[in-house]
Amino acid sequence: MPLHVPPAPVPALRSVLTALGSPTAVREARTPSLRAAQGPATPELPLPLHVLDRITAEGVSATRLTGWRFLIRCGDRAVAAAETRLTPDGWAFSHFFEGPYIASTERALRQAETVQQPYQARLLSVPGLYMLTLWLHGDCAADGAEGHPAATDLLVPLAPAPPGIAAHRPHQVAELLPVLTHRATPVPLLGSPA
């Protein structure tokens, strides 16, 4: 399998396991699928979640790690996801959630497994466009918590993708960053100083 999933920090995994074992955390989660799940729920496929804070005019991106996301599997399918975040005291459980990105992430990971070149799987969020992508990083030995998208890395927009950007179509970073830069750049209002 050419797809490499970096190991999550042990405290992040432990915090998700503790939350899954807590009836209060599961019951209070706004995830009907998780509350209704029959059988054991297990966290799988930990992916480092990076946020694209800005793209410079030269096309260089500034990203930062914001957490680790785990798909929560019950039986043969993912029913929810759990997210952790880094606090001053270390990794802590943040929340459970569900929605279209769960199935879309699974689909994108299955697609990525068919690619001949090996990649390291990560998630990249573009908050300014309400967009989440599977980031396929070309350096499989890299620390999944660090780094920036390389020009030859692939970004696979997850559904729902912003209008005009096809979900589940892999794009090289060098191809997609200019599009994202253009879309994320605020347009000056008419009559405002340039």
Side-chain angles (χ1 to χ4, degrees), residues 20-173:
L20 282 171
S22 164
T24 305
V26 172
R27 189 172 46 253
E28 291 180 4
R30 294 187 178 141
T31 56
S33 295
L34 185 58
R35 286 195 311 264
Q38 298 294 317
T42 57
E44 295 182 353
L45 296 169
L47 297 172
L49 177 60
H50 296 259
V51 171
L52 182 66
D53 285 325
R54 69 183 189 289
I55 306 169
T56 67
E58 297 80 30
V60 178
S61 59
T63 61
R64 61 185 166 84
L65 179 72
T66 60
W68 284 79
R69 184 173 291 178
F70 298 77
L71 291 180
I72 306 299
R73 185 166 301 283
C74 188
D76 63 345
R77 67 184 189 95
V79 296
E83 204 161 291
T84 63
R85 60 184 169 82
L86 190 58
T87 68
D89 295 325
W91 288 99
F93 171 75
S94 176
H95 61 281
F96 291 116
F97 65 95
E98 62 182 68
Y101 286 133
I102 307 301
S104 188
T105 300
E106 280 192 305
R107 177 180 170 186
L109 287 166
R110 281 192 309 271
Q111 282 179 284
E113 288 176 343
T114 65
V115 177
Q116 296 304 312
Q117 180 179 340
Y119 285 103
Q120 183 186 79
R122 303 172 176 196
L123 292 172
L124 181 65
S125 173
V126 186
L129 298 175
Y130 301 102
M131 179 178 178
L132 184 63
T133 69
L134 177 63
W135 169 13
L136 299 174
H137 188 56
D139 182 0
C140 292
D143 181 348
E146 296 179 2
H148 301 286
T152 56
D153 286 355
L154 295 179
L155 296 178
V156 182
L158 301 180
I165 296 177
H168 297 287
R169 181 182 174 275
H171 301 269
Q172 280 198 338
V173 167

